[in-house]
Amino acid sequence: MGQSWKPLSRTEMAARVARDIPEGWYVNLGIGMPTLVSDHIPAGKDVIIHSENGIVGMGPQPKPDAVNPWLVNAGKQYVTLVTGGAIVHHADSFGMIRGGHIDLCVLGAFQVAENGDLANWATLDDAMPPAVGGAMDLCAGAQRLWIMTDQTTKSGEPKLVERCTYPLTGLACVSRVYTNVAVFDVSVSGFELVEAVPGLGIDELQDMTGATIRGKG
Amino acid sequence: MIDKFVSSVTEAVADVRDGSTVMIGGFGVGQPVHLIDALIEQGATGLTIVANNAGIGRAGLARLLELRRVRKVVCSFPRTADPVVFDELYKKGEIELELVPQGTLAERIRAGGAGVAGFYTATAYGTKLAEGKETCEFEGRHYVFERALHADVALIEAWQGDRWGNLTYKEAGRNFNPVMATAAKLTIAQVQHKVDLGSLEPNAIATPSIFVNRVVHIPYGDPK
């Protein structure tokens, strides 16, 4: 017996997030899956991508024969500047974040709690040295924080939970979660279902979720 | 006549003392790699390093760590694909780590350069990285008090430099370099291009000479 629904691919998730970003927003995309979102913003729709290392107006990855070795993003990958792009230093770049000038940040997650808490920087393994980068600054400073993540871990543990058990990156900062099977708003009453992939019922979705899902209302 | 150019990286770092706090610019690109190598040769030890990362592979900053010349690292991301040296020292308890959110790190450096003793930021409130720190509530929002960072020495890389020490940067090579230049007693810049005084467009000078003590011309080309 097979399930009647199909999870979204990484590309489909990125396209789904991109659809909700209006023209004119300044957007910071986290390292990893969120980076894919920029590939799905249609040409001619001016959405300005910010990178923590000081790029305002980041373009896509260059073709191999057109790499500017001085132009990297926060993940230290080669990128391009769009027409109109600007470069600032690190303190100004994070001033844009902390000062609330970034309309949206999209990050990955280990866990998101129904109160909007996010855990995405450290596990409970103390042997590895901790590393945080700019994640806490983005949680505290961006106007909105959307999360892109799978509904469950590879072993089937829910990533949407009542309270995070991993160390927190930010408190009550997540406003929306895009998973590979559904979209949720995070409101004062917890996870509110916006949509699910076709064929996935709320009972089955609830089984994959570690907190109560509520309908929109 | 002011001429801050020195003839070699060796001369540039000759008087760095044991126990110094050294800021090192760079973020993927824009790292003062030749100045770091000179500091390795120079021999100063018991250093505190302020940088975004804690070294990659076994060269540069990682080599300085491997030679046990660094007591403490203040950084945001001591993990890379190849952070072997820092990992080893950290697991053996042979190096101290002060982990700082990246924006807080940049702002603490800016505060150091601007004569601000500290500041309140919402970043990290309620997390492990705010434990033990003073907090305050302003207009219903919680903030953490963070202290300014100062250094004895800042090693930075710039694109162009003139004999007064006015500097420009190249694309993402800017990163932490301009703020670090403001926060150290002794700021040493390695530059790709030595230009005549007066040739830089005044509005394009990202680091004015007031923040720079020594300049060394190292035209190594593009980062690898």
Side-chain angles (χ1 to χ4, degrees):
Chain A
M1 119 189 169
Q3 62 192 31
S4 60
W5 51 271
K6 194 165 149 280
L8 300 181
S9 67
R10 293 280 183 272
T11 303
E12 289 166 332
M13 287 170 74
R16 178 63 193 84
V17 173
R19 216 170 78 200
D20 288 347
I21 301 175
E23 181 156 44
W25 274 14
Y26 287 78
V27 178
N28 182 293
L29 300 171
I31 294 165
M33 198 177 7
T35 304
L36 301 175
V37 170
S38 62
D39 297 340
H40 298 276
I41 293 163
K45 179 173 168 183
D46 284 338
V47 170
I48 294 147
I49 308 294
H50 169 269
S51 190
E52 298 97 291
N53 60 324
I55 303 175
V56 188
M58 184 169 69
Q61 289 190 4
K63 296 203 166 59
D65 60 350
V67 167
N68 174 349
W70 291 92
L71 200 49
V72 297
N73 64 10
K76 296 173 182 169
Q77 301 160 309
Y78 293 123
V79 292
T80 50
L81 266 185
V82 297
T83 303
I87 305 274
V88 298
H89 63 60
H90 248 87
D92 279 350
S93 182
F94 277 91
M96 292 172 191
I97 295 168
R98 197 184 310 101
H101 305 282
I102 301 295
D103 295 293
L104 167 69
C105 176
V106 185
L107 294 176
F110 296 152
Q111 293 173 323
V112 182
E114 62 183 356
N115 62 356
D117 288 357
L118 172 68
N120 78 346
W121 74 282
T123 63
L124 302 172
D125 175 10
D126 280 339
M128 288 292 286
V132 66
M136 287 186 181
D137 307 277
L138 287 159
C139 287
Q143 286 293 322
R144 321 173 168 70
L145 178 61
W146 294 353
I147 297 302
M148 244 179 117
T149 186
D150 288 335
Q151 187 75 23
T152 64
T153 66
K154 287 193 180 73
S155 58
E157 295 293 316
K159 298 183 86 167
L160 279 61
V161 294
E162 286 182 355
R163 288 293 177 272
C164 295
T165 53
Y166 286 139
L168 295 180
T169 314
L171 277 61
C173 51
V174 177
S175 57
R176 192 165 250 228
V177 185
Y178 295 82
T179 79
N180 57 336
V181 297
V183 179
F184 304 90
D185 276 333
V186 184
S187 74
V188 284
S189 52
F191 293 113
E192 285 183 355
L193 183 63
V194 175
E195 67 187 45
V197 293
L200 175 60
I202 193 159
D203 291 344
E204 200 173 353
L205 183 59
Q206 182 63 70
D207 288 344
M208 294 188 277
T209 308
T212 305
I213 301 169
R214 291 169 178 82
K216 270 288 201 195
Chain B
M1 184 177 96
I2 295 170
D3 186 359
K4 295 179 185 171
F5 274 96
V6 295
S7 58
S8 68
V9 287
T10 306
E11 189 185 340
V13 303
D15 53 357
V16 177
R17 291 191 181 161
D18 289 353
S20 294
T21 295
V22 181
M23 291 181 177
I24 299 180
F27 187 94
V29 296
Q31 248 200 349
V33 287
H34 297 79
L35 288 171
I36 298 168
D37 286 346
L39 186 61
I40 291 168
E41 289 299 315
Q42 192 261 11
T45 193
L47 302 173
T48 295
I49 299 294
V50 180
N52 190 63
N53 301 88
I56 299 170
R58 293 200 180 268
L61 177 54
R63 178 76 184 143
L64 196 64
L65 266 57
E66 190 166 36
L67 293 169
R68 303 293 198 277
R69 303 259 293 281
V70 179
R71 186 182 68 77
K72 177 179 177 183
V73 174
V74 181
C75 77
S76 89
F77 210 85
R79 212 185 285 158
T80 67
D82 190 11
V84 278
V85 176
F86 182 83
D87 265 20
E88 286 164 11
L89 294 173
Y90 182 82
K91 284 172 185 164
K92 283 192 259 179
E94 291 177 4
I95 196 158
E96 190 183 335
L97 170 66
E98 181 178 343
L99 189 72
V100 184
Q102 198 172 130
T104 297
L105 180 66
E107 195 64 20
R108 288 177 66 191
I109 298 166
R110 170 150 62 188
V116 174
F119 56 92
Y120 285 100
T121 175
T123 300
Y125 177 81
T127 75
K128 270 167 70 171
L129 297 190
E131 280 171 11
K133 290 181 179 166
E134 184 197 327
T135 61
C136 199
E137 189 179 330
F138 299 100
E139 290 160 2
R141 197 155 186 223
H142 296 279
Y143 295 80
V144 180
F145 187 68
E146 294 283 358
R147 296 288 305 272
L149 276 170
H150 301 271
D152 299 295
V153 182
L155 305 181
I156 65 168
E157 190 198 40
W159 183 242
Q160 298 161 300
D162 63 27
R163 66 178 173 84
W164 279 16
N166 292 306
L167 305 175
T168 69
Y169 299 92
K170 176 91 172 138
E171 274 97 48
R174 185 175 295 220
N175 59 67
F176 281 95
N177 288 304
V179 273
M180 287 182 172
T182 68
K185 290 180 203 141
L186 172 66
T187 293
I188 309 170
Q190 69 168 79
V191 301
Q192 295 265 357
H193 300 282
K194 181 176 183 173
V195 300
D196 289 339
L197 192 68
S199 69
L200 296 174
E201 208 276 296
N203 263 305
I205 295 171
T207 295
S209 64
I210 192 168
F211 297 120
V212 180
N213 302 96
R214 291 175 196 160
V215 187
V216 56
H217 182 211
I218 307 286
Y220 71 88
D222 288 333
K224 283 183 227 93

